[in-house]
Structures are given as structure tokens and as C-alpha cells.
Amino acid sequence: MTVSLDLVHASDSRERLARCRRALTRVGHFLWQMARNPLTAIGGGIILLLLIVALFAPWIAPYPPLIQDLNNALVPPSAQHWFGTDEFGRDIFSRLVWGARITLYIVLLVSVTVGPLGLLLGVTAGYFGGKVDSVLMRVTDIFISFPSLVLALAFVAALGPGLEHVVIAITLTAWPPIARLARAEALSLRQADFVSAVRLQGASSLRILWKHIVPLCLPSVIIRITMNMAGIILTAAGLGFLGLGAQPPDPEWGAMIASGRTYMLECWWVVTVPGLAILVNSLAFNFLGDGLRDILDPRSE
């Protein structure tokens, strides 16, 4: 009996080890495919750097981001202040580092909420069709008919300034494209032979959606969300610039541009540095999205 149990445990261990090896092989192959595209590798490297900066901000930033030093106001870039100081003498590099946390906070929260919402509404409309499709798509068309920034401004104006309200506003404006994409994928899959076979076996609609339709729609949705992250960064920066996002003295990049625009002609670094941070990170997410599309979408080959 003991020998049999030992054999079972050994078999389980070998199976787990084999699964781990297969998973590592798939991850390695995925990273190798990303590295083949220089722009994708650059985008992924910039995003990885952004994550590291946000995670280790207390150790990377040389100065506190909120402490004012009026004696060093509007100091140009130097060895002491790499990116200069703002109108209150705060180190811009330190504020940029801490602002990475706010940017990632908005991007991650919006992505986590908008993905499931758009996917759920899209696959439901595409699979069931009929009145369900008509109602959901008319609601989607209403949201799409307004520019996303204008609609986000309306929601934030109604909810009030603040990071949480910015996340809610961007989520409410970013889900329609994902829903339409998921609907298109579900429309092409609901009449597929394997779905018909599963339906004939007695599977419920909920099981078909969860086990078969949603997994096949996920790659396209992930690609779309990754490419939407650049728009999320720009929208959040626009709301911060207008004073509707993070409130002073929080070091949000859009708010940094807004507070420094009065001095931009004499002190170019006050608005140029956070503007470049927004530009570079937006491009990085676009590059990464293009690479994920090439890897995850076989139709792009």
C-alpha cells in the first residue's frame, strides 16, 4: 500500500513538473516573439521601467515630491536637480517618479474594470442577438457618438474632481469599443461547428459563453485594452490638466503641465518633462499593443 502511494505521489510530482516546464516554454516562446520586433521590445522595456519606477519610487526619488523650497524655485536642470524645479522649488524628477504611481493606478484600475464590462456586454449581445443585441448596441452607439474626452469631462463634472471619479469616468467612456469588438467575435463564433456540437450535447448558454466563447474572445480584447492604455493616459492627463483629476499638490503629470504653463516660455523644463513622460509612455503602450496583436492574433500573420 505504501509503495502504491509513493508511486502515485511520484507520478503527481512528474506531472506538475511537466506542466511547469510547458508553461515556462510557452512564456519563453512568447518573450522571444516579442523580442523579434524592435518596437515591441522598446515598448515593453519602457513599460517595465515605468513599473519599476512606480514600485520603487520612495528609493528612486532624491527629494520629497510635496516639500516646497521657494529659494530654489524654477531652477534649470543641473546636477542637483536633473529635470529642474517647478515654481514652488519642488524637484521635477522626484515628482515625475511619484507621478508614475498615479498614472499606473489609473491605467490598471480602468483596464481591470473596462475589460470585463466590455467583454460581458459584447459577447452577450453577439451570442443572443435579436432584441438583446439591439438594446445593448444602441446603448453602445450612444456612448460612441460622443468624443471620449468630452464624455469623460461630463461624467467628472457630475461626479466631482478626484482620482476615483476619473477612473469611473474613463471606464464609462472606454468600454464601447471593447464591447463592439467582443460582439463581432461572438457573432463569428456562435454558429461555429464546435459551438453547435456543444449545444447539441445539452450545454447551457451560460456554459457555452463562459467555457467556449469568452476564451476565444480574450486575445482580441487584451490587445484592444493594451492599445487603449495610451488613450487612458492621455485622457487622465487631460482631466488632470483641467483640474478635474488628481488635486494639488499630488504629482500627476497632467496637473504638473497645468501648473507650469504660466512659466513655459521662460522655463521650458517645467512643462516639457512631464509632457515627454506622457508622450513616451503612450507610445510604449501602442508599440506593445501592436506586438501583442502580431503574436496573439493569428489572422495578422
Side-chain angles (χ1 to χ4, degrees):
M1 185 67 179
T2 304
V3 175
S4 300
L5 289 175
D6 291 340
L7 291 175
V8 170
H9 290 318
S11 177
D12 292 340
S13 299
R14 286 194 296 269
E15 181 64 26
R16 285 195 296 269
L17 182 60
R19 285 198 296 267
C20 291
R21 288 177 176 173
R22 288 194 295 267
L24 290 175
T25 301
R26 287 194 294 268
V27 171
H29 181 66
F30 177 79
L31 293 176
W32 177 78
Q33 286 182 303
M34 289 186 61
R36 289 175 57 190
N37 189 329
L39 290 180
T40 305
I42 292 172
I46 293 173
I47 294 171
L48 179 61
L49 179 62
L50 178 67
L51 290 170
I52 293 173
V53 167
L55 184 62
F56 297 101
W59 297 275
I60 295 176
Y63 299 94
L66 305 180
I67 301 300
Q68 300 181 10
D69 183 6
L70 297 179
N71 293 325
N72 289 320
L74 299 175
V75 172
S78 62
Q80 289 74 29
H81 302 282
W82 294 348
F83 295 158
T85 62
D86 63 7
E87 67 275 18
F88 296 108
R90 297 172 298 196
D91 183 65
I92 292 179
F93 174 74
S94 299
R95 290 178 61 79
L96 202 71
V97 168
W98 281 94
R101 285 192 167 188
I102 298 177
T103 299
L104 282 179
Y105 172 80
I106 296 173
V107 169
L108 293 178
L109 272 187
V110 171
S111 300
V112 167
T113 53
V114 79
L117 177 62
L119 181 61
L120 173 64
L121 295 178
V123 297
T124 301
Y127 181 78
F128 290 104
K131 293 182 179 180
V132 174
D133 184 26
S134 298
V135 172
L136 292 178
M137 286 303 103
R138 295 301 75 76
V139 174
T140 303
D141 291 339
I142 292 172
F143 279 86
I144 289 180
S145 62
F146 295 94
S148 59
L149 181 57
V150 174
L151 196 58
L153 282 172
F155 283 124
V156 175
L159 297 171
L163 282 180
E164 290 75 16
H165 294 166
V166 166
V167 171
I168 295 172
I170 298 177
T171 299
L172 292 175
T173 60
W175 67 266
I178 297 175
R180 294 189 69 89
L181 176 64
R183 172 184 178 268
E185 295 281 349
L187 282 173
S188 63
L189 292 171
R190 68 177 182 177
Q191 300 300 334
D193 293 339
F194 72 93
V195 173
S196 300
V198 173
R199 191 182 295 118
L200 289 174
Q201 291 175 359
S204 63
S205 297
L206 181 61
R207 180 177 178 82
I208 293 173
L209 284 174
W210 180 251
K211 293 291 186 179
H212 302 282
I213 303 295
V214 169
L216 292 175
C217 295
L218 272 179
S220 299
V221 171
I222 291 173
I223 294 166
R224 181 71 190 197
I225 291 174
T226 304
M227 301 187 73
N228 279 359
M229 287 179 180
I232 294 171
I233 292 175
L234 293 175
T235 303
L239 294 174
F241 180 84
L242 296 173
L244 299 174
Q247 298 300 296
D250 289 342
E252 197 273 327
W253 295 344
M256 290 172 63
I257 296 175
S259 64
R261 68 185 186 276
T262 306
Y263 313 95
M264 62 183 298
L265 295 180
E266 298 85 7
C267 307
W268 55 268
W269 59 89
V270 179
V271 297
T272 301
V273 172
L276 285 175
I278 295 171
L279 173 64
V280 169
N281 286 283
S282 299
L283 286 175
F285 279 111
N286 278 329
F287 292 157
L288 182 62
D290 287 337
L292 290 178
R293 181 187 58 195
D294 295 337
I295 296 171
L296 298 178
D297 189 358
R299 291 169 295 185
S300 64
E301 298 179 355

PDB file of all heavy atoms in Angstrom, residues 107-133:
ATOM      1  N   VAL A 107      -4.415  53.674 -14.999  1.00  0.00           N
ATOM      2  CA  VAL A 107      -4.394  52.746 -16.132  1.00  0.00           C
ATOM      3  C   VAL A 107      -4.826  51.350 -15.707  1.00  0.00           C
ATOM      4  O   VAL A 107      -5.656  50.703 -16.366  1.00  0.00           O
ATOM      5  CB  VAL A 107      -2.990  52.724 -16.766  1.00  0.00           C
ATOM      6  CG1 VAL A 107      -2.868  51.575 -17.756  1.00  0.00           C
ATOM      7  CG2 VAL A 107      -2.703  54.037 -17.478  1.00  0.00           C
ATOM      8  N   LEU A 108      -4.293  50.859 -14.602  1.00  0.00           N
ATOM      9  CA  LEU A 108      -4.611  49.496 -14.166  1.00  0.00           C
ATOM     10  C   LEU A 108      -6.057  49.377 -13.711  1.00  0.00           C
ATOM     11  O   LEU A 108      -6.742  48.397 -14.047  1.00  0.00           O
ATOM     12  CB  LEU A 108      -3.664  49.078 -13.041  1.00  0.00           C
ATOM     13  CG  LEU A 108      -2.187  48.903 -13.438  1.00  0.00           C
ATOM     14  CD1 LEU A 108      -1.343  48.539 -12.227  1.00  0.00           C
ATOM     15  CD2 LEU A 108      -2.037  47.839 -14.514  1.00  0.00           C
ATOM     16  N   LEU A 109      -6.552  50.347 -12.962  1.00  0.00           N
ATOM     17  CA  LEU A 109      -7.935  50.269 -12.492  1.00  0.00           C
ATOM     18  C   LEU A 109      -8.912  50.336 -13.662  1.00  0.00           C
ATOM     19  O   LEU A 109      -9.892  49.582 -13.715  1.00  0.00           O
ATOM     20  CB  LEU A 109      -8.225  51.395 -11.502  1.00  0.00           C
ATOM     21  CG  LEU A 109      -7.914  51.124 -10.029  1.00  0.00           C
ATOM     22  CD1 LEU A 109      -8.410  52.262  -9.164  1.00  0.00           C
ATOM     23  CD2 LEU A 109      -8.526  49.819  -9.558  1.00  0.00           C
ATOM     24  N   VAL A 110      -8.651  51.228 -14.601  1.00  0.00           N
ATOM     25  CA  VAL A 110      -9.537  51.326 -15.768  1.00  0.00           C
ATOM     26  C   VAL A 110      -9.487  50.038 -16.579  1.00  0.00           C
ATOM     27  O   VAL A 110     -10.525  49.519 -17.016  1.00  0.00           O
ATOM     28  CB  VAL A 110      -9.154  52.535 -16.645  1.00  0.00           C
ATOM     29  CG1 VAL A 110      -9.926  52.512 -17.957  1.00  0.00           C
ATOM     30  CG2 VAL A 110      -9.447  53.834 -15.903  1.00  0.00           C
ATOM     31  N   SER A 111      -8.305  49.483 -16.784  1.00  0.00           N
ATOM     32  CA  SER A 111      -8.183  48.252 -17.574  1.00  0.00           C
ATOM     33  C   SER A 111      -8.886  47.086 -16.901  1.00  0.00           C
ATOM     34  O   SER A 111      -9.554  46.280 -17.563  1.00  0.00           O
ATOM     35  CB  SER A 111      -6.705  47.921 -17.784  1.00  0.00           C
ATOM     36  OG  SER A 111      -6.037  48.965 -18.462  1.00  0.00           O
ATOM     37  N   VAL A 112      -8.755  46.987 -15.573  1.00  0.00           N
ATOM     38  CA  VAL A 112      -9.381  45.883 -14.847  1.00  0.00           C
ATOM     39  C   VAL A 112     -10.898  45.979 -14.886  1.00  0.00           C
ATOM     40  O   VAL A 112     -11.605  44.964 -14.913  1.00  0.00           O
ATOM     41  CB  VAL A 112      -8.863  45.862 -13.390  1.00  0.00           C
ATOM     42  CG1 VAL A 112      -9.698  44.952 -12.521  1.00  0.00           C
ATOM     43  CG2 VAL A 112      -7.415  45.412 -13.356  1.00  0.00           C
ATOM     44  N   THR A 113     -11.430  47.193 -14.912  1.00  0.00           N
ATOM     45  CA  THR A 113     -12.893  47.358 -14.908  1.00  0.00           C
ATOM     46  C   THR A 113     -13.486  47.365 -16.312  1.00  0.00           C
ATOM     47  O   THR A 113     -14.552  46.780 -16.539  1.00  0.00           O
ATOM     48  CB  THR A 113     -13.276  48.654 -14.184  1.00  0.00           C
ATOM     49  OG1 THR A 113     -12.551  49.761 -14.765  1.00  0.00           O
ATOM     50  CG2 THR A 113     -12.944  48.572 -12.713  1.00  0.00           C
ATOM     51  N   VAL A 114     -12.801  47.991 -17.250  1.00  0.00           N
ATOM     52  CA  VAL A 114     -13.387  48.150 -18.576  1.00  0.00           C
ATOM     53  C   VAL A 114     -13.325  46.857 -19.378  1.00  0.00           C
ATOM     54  O   VAL A 114     -14.208  46.592 -20.217  1.00  0.00           O
ATOM     55  CB  VAL A 114     -12.674  49.292 -19.329  1.00  0.00           C
ATOM     56  CG1 VAL A 114     -11.341  48.850 -19.910  1.00  0.00           C
ATOM     57  CG2 VAL A 114     -13.553  49.850 -20.438  1.00  0.00           C
ATOM     58  N   GLY A 115     -12.312  46.020 -19.134  1.00  0.00           N
ATOM     59  CA  GLY A 115     -12.205  44.774 -19.870  1.00  0.00           C
ATOM     60  C   GLY A 115     -13.368  43.829 -19.618  1.00  0.00           C
ATOM     61  O   GLY A 115     -14.070  43.430 -20.557  1.00  0.00           O
ATOM     62  N   PRO A 116     -13.618  43.434 -18.366  1.00  0.00           N
ATOM     63  CA  PRO A 116     -14.762  42.554 -18.105  1.00  0.00           C
ATOM     64  C   PRO A 116     -16.104  43.158 -18.503  1.00  0.00           C
ATOM     65  O   PRO A 116     -16.978  42.444 -19.001  1.00  0.00           O
ATOM     66  CB  PRO A 116     -14.681  42.337 -16.586  1.00  0.00           C
ATOM     67  CG  PRO A 116     -13.255  42.566 -16.242  1.00  0.00           C
ATOM     68  CD  PRO A 116     -12.792  43.640 -17.164  1.00  0.00           C
ATOM     69  N   LEU A 117     -16.277  44.477 -18.301  1.00  0.00           N
ATOM     70  CA  LEU A 117     -17.549  45.112 -18.656  1.00  0.00           C
ATOM     71  C   LEU A 117     -17.801  45.051 -20.158  1.00  0.00           C
ATOM     72  O   LEU A 117     -18.866  44.615 -20.614  1.00  0.00           O
ATOM     73  CB  LEU A 117     -17.546  46.560 -18.174  1.00  0.00           C
ATOM     74  CG  LEU A 117     -18.787  47.389 -18.526  1.00  0.00           C
ATOM     75  CD1 LEU A 117     -20.033  46.787 -17.887  1.00  0.00           C
ATOM     76  CD2 LEU A 117     -18.594  48.845 -18.084  1.00  0.00           C
ATOM     77  N   GLY A 118     -16.820  45.461 -20.948  1.00  0.00           N
ATOM     78  CA  GLY A 118     -16.989  45.424 -22.399  1.00  0.00           C
ATOM     79  C   GLY A 118     -17.105  44.012 -22.933  1.00  0.00           C
ATOM     80  O   GLY A 118     -17.908  43.740 -23.837  1.00  0.00           O
ATOM     81  N   LEU A 119     -16.311  43.089 -22.376  1.00  0.00           N
ATOM     82  CA  LEU A 119     -16.373  41.695 -22.821  1.00  0.00           C
ATOM     83  C   LEU A 119     -17.728  41.081 -22.512  1.00  0.00           C
ATOM     84  O   LEU A 119     -18.316  40.395 -23.371  1.00  0.00           O
ATOM     85  CB  LEU A 119     -15.255  40.901 -22.150  1.00  0.00           C
ATOM     86  CG  LEU A 119     -15.135  39.414 -22.516  1.00  0.00           C
ATOM     87  CD1 LEU A 119     -14.856  39.249 -23.996  1.00  0.00           C
ATOM     88  CD2 LEU A 119     -14.041  38.760 -21.687  1.00  0.00           C
ATOM     89  N   LEU A 120     -18.243  41.313 -21.311  1.00  0.00           N
ATOM     90  CA  LEU A 120     -19.532  40.746 -20.916  1.00  0.00           C
ATOM     91  C   LEU A 120     -20.659  41.254 -21.811  1.00  0.00           C
ATOM     92  O   LEU A 120     -21.466  40.463 -22.334  1.00  0.00           O
ATOM     93  CB  LEU A 120     -19.814  41.087 -19.456  1.00  0.00           C
ATOM     94  CG  LEU A 120     -21.197  40.700 -18.923  1.00  0.00           C
ATOM     95  CD1 LEU A 120     -21.370  39.184 -18.942  1.00  0.00           C
ATOM     96  CD2 LEU A 120     -21.394  41.237 -17.506  1.00  0.00           C
ATOM     97  N   LEU A 121     -20.729  42.551 -22.005  1.00  0.00           N
ATOM     98  CA  LEU A 121     -21.815  43.115 -22.824  1.00  0.00           C
ATOM     99  C   LEU A 121     -21.669  42.701 -24.288  1.00  0.00           C
ATOM    100  O   LEU A 121     -22.663  42.414 -24.966  1.00  0.00           O
ATOM    101  CB  LEU A 121     -21.811  44.638 -22.698  1.00  0.00           C
ATOM    102  CG  LEU A 121     -22.130  45.192 -21.305  1.00  0.00           C
ATOM    103  CD1 LEU A 121     -22.033  46.716 -21.306  1.00  0.00           C
ATOM    104  CD2 LEU A 121     -23.504  44.751 -20.841  1.00  0.00           C
ATOM    105  N   GLY A 122     -20.424  42.650 -24.785  1.00  0.00           N
ATOM    106  CA  GLY A 122     -20.211  42.319 -26.190  1.00  0.00           C
ATOM    107  C   GLY A 122     -20.563  40.886 -26.527  1.00  0.00           C
ATOM    108  O   GLY A 122     -21.279  40.620 -27.498  1.00  0.00           O
ATOM    109  N   VAL A 123     -20.086  39.923 -25.720  1.00  0.00           N
ATOM    110  CA  VAL A 123     -20.375  38.518 -26.027  1.00  0.00           C
ATOM    111  C   VAL A 123     -21.858  38.209 -25.797  1.00  0.00           C
ATOM    112  O   VAL A 123     -22.442  37.372 -26.501  1.00  0.00           O
ATOM    113  CB  VAL A 123     -19.489  37.571 -25.191  1.00  0.00           C
ATOM    114  CG1 VAL A 123     -18.023  37.768 -25.537  1.00  0.00           C
ATOM    115  CG2 VAL A 123     -19.716  37.752 -23.700  1.00  0.00           C
ATOM    116  N   THR A 124     -22.472  38.883 -24.838  1.00  0.00           N
ATOM    117  CA  THR A 124     -23.910  38.679 -24.612  1.00  0.00           C
ATOM    118  C   THR A 124     -24.712  39.149 -25.825  1.00  0.00           C
ATOM    119  O   THR A 124     -25.617  38.442 -26.302  1.00  0.00           O
ATOM    120  CB  THR A 124     -24.370  39.430 -23.350  1.00  0.00           C
ATOM    121  OG1 THR A 124     -23.625  38.956 -22.231  1.00  0.00           O
ATOM    122  CG2 THR A 124     -25.841  39.215 -23.102  1.00  0.00           C
ATOM    123  N   ALA A 125     -24.376  40.332 -26.330  1.00  0.00           N
ATOM    124  CA  ALA A 125     -25.087  40.851 -27.497  1.00  0.00           C
ATOM    125  C   ALA A 125     -24.835  39.994 -28.729  1.00  0.00           C
ATOM    126  O   ALA A 125     -25.759  39.690 -29.488  1.00  0.00           O
ATOM    127  CB  ALA A 125     -24.656  42.290 -27.753  1.00  0.00           C
ATOM    128  N   GLY A 126     -23.588  39.579 -28.937  1.00  0.00           N
ATOM    129  CA  GLY A 126     -23.266  38.810 -30.124  1.00  0.00           C
ATOM    130  C   GLY A 126     -23.821  37.407 -30.108  1.00  0.00           C
ATOM    131  O   GLY A 126     -24.228  36.880 -31.150  1.00  0.00           O
ATOM    132  N   TYR A 127     -23.854  36.773 -28.941  1.00  0.00           N
ATOM    133  CA  TYR A 127     -24.317  35.384 -28.875  1.00  0.00           C
ATOM    134  C   TYR A 127     -25.831  35.283 -28.954  1.00  0.00           C
ATOM    135  O   TYR A 127     -26.368  34.447 -29.688  1.00  0.00           O
ATOM    136  CB  TYR A 127     -23.816  34.732 -27.596  1.00  0.00           C
ATOM    137  CG  TYR A 127     -24.241  33.287 -27.457  1.00  0.00           C
ATOM    138  CD1 TYR A 127     -23.593  32.278 -28.163  1.00  0.00           C
ATOM    139  CD2 TYR A 127     -25.306  32.937 -26.633  1.00  0.00           C
ATOM    140  CE1 TYR A 127     -23.986  30.958 -28.044  1.00  0.00           C
ATOM    141  CE2 TYR A 127     -25.714  31.624 -26.506  1.00  0.00           C
ATOM    142  CZ  TYR A 127     -25.053  30.638 -27.221  1.00  0.00           C
ATOM    143  OH  TYR A 127     -25.459  29.326 -27.112  1.00  0.00           O
ATOM    144  N   PHE A 128     -26.546  36.116 -28.212  1.00  0.00           N
ATOM    145  CA  PHE A 128     -28.003  36.003 -28.169  1.00  0.00           C
ATOM    146  C   PHE A 128     -28.675  36.709 -29.345  1.00  0.00           C
ATOM    147  O   PHE A 128     -29.714  36.255 -29.826  1.00  0.00           O
ATOM    148  CB  PHE A 128     -28.536  36.564 -26.845  1.00  0.00           C
ATOM    149  CG  PHE A 128     -28.197  35.719 -25.663  1.00  0.00           C
ATOM    150  CD1 PHE A 128     -27.187  36.096 -24.786  1.00  0.00           C
ATOM    151  CD2 PHE A 128     -28.870  34.536 -25.416  1.00  0.00           C
ATOM    152  CE1 PHE A 128     -26.860  35.316 -23.691  1.00  0.00           C
ATOM    153  CE2 PHE A 128     -28.552  33.739 -24.318  1.00  0.00           C
ATOM    154  CZ  PHE A 128     -27.543  34.135 -23.455  1.00  0.00           C
ATOM    155  N   GLY A 129     -28.091  37.813 -29.823  1.00  0.00           N
ATOM    156  CA  GLY A 129     -28.675  38.523 -30.951  1.00  0.00           C
ATOM    157  C   GLY A 129     -30.071  39.064 -30.638  1.00  0.00           C
ATOM    158  O   GLY A 129     -30.465  39.208 -29.484  1.00  0.00           O
ATOM    159  N   GLY A 130     -30.826  39.354 -31.694  1.00  0.00           N
ATOM    160  CA  GLY A 130     -32.214  39.784 -31.531  1.00  0.00           C
ATOM    161  C   GLY A 130     -32.342  41.068 -30.732  1.00  0.00           C
ATOM    162  O   GLY A 130     -31.573  42.022 -30.902  1.00  0.00           O
ATOM    163  N   LYS A 131     -33.334  41.097 -29.845  1.00  0.00           N
ATOM    164  CA  LYS A 131     -33.611  42.296 -29.063  1.00  0.00           C
ATOM    165  C   LYS A 131     -32.483  42.615 -28.086  1.00  0.00           C
ATOM    166  O   LYS A 131     -32.187  43.782 -27.823  1.00  0.00           O
ATOM    167  CB  LYS A 131     -34.931  42.138 -28.310  1.00  0.00           C
ATOM    168  CG  LYS A 131     -36.155  42.093 -29.212  1.00  0.00           C
ATOM    169  CD  LYS A 131     -37.431  41.995 -28.393  1.00  0.00           C
ATOM    170  CE  LYS A 131     -38.658  41.989 -29.305  1.00  0.00           C
ATOM    171  NZ  LYS A 131     -39.933  41.901 -28.531  1.00  0.00           N
ATOM    172  N   VAL A 132     -31.878  41.570 -27.546  1.00  0.00           N
ATOM    173  CA  VAL A 132     -30.758  41.795 -26.626  1.00  0.00           C
ATOM    174  C   VAL A 132     -29.633  42.530 -27.337  1.00  0.00           C
ATOM    175  O   VAL A 132     -29.083  43.523 -26.825  1.00  0.00           O
ATOM    176  CB  VAL A 132     -30.243  40.452 -26.061  1.00  0.00           C
ATOM    177  CG1 VAL A 132     -28.997  40.667 -25.214  1.00  0.00           C
ATOM    178  CG2 VAL A 132     -31.326  39.764 -25.246  1.00  0.00           C
ATOM    179  N   ASP A 133     -29.320  42.079 -28.547  1.00  0.00           N
ATOM    180  CA  ASP A 133     -28.271  42.728 -29.340  1.00  0.00           C
ATOM    181  C   ASP A 133     -28.666  44.159 -29.679  1.00  0.00           C
ATOM    182  O   ASP A 133     -27.845  45.083 -29.567  1.00  0.00           O
ATOM    183  CB  ASP A 133     -28.033  41.906 -30.606  1.00  0.00           C
ATOM    184  CG  ASP A 133     -26.886  42.464 -31.437  1.00  0.00           C
ATOM    185  OD1 ASP A 133     -25.993  43.111 -30.865  1.00  0.00           O
ATOM    186  OD2 ASP A 133     -26.895  42.259 -32.664  1.00  0.00           O
TER     187      ASP A 133
END
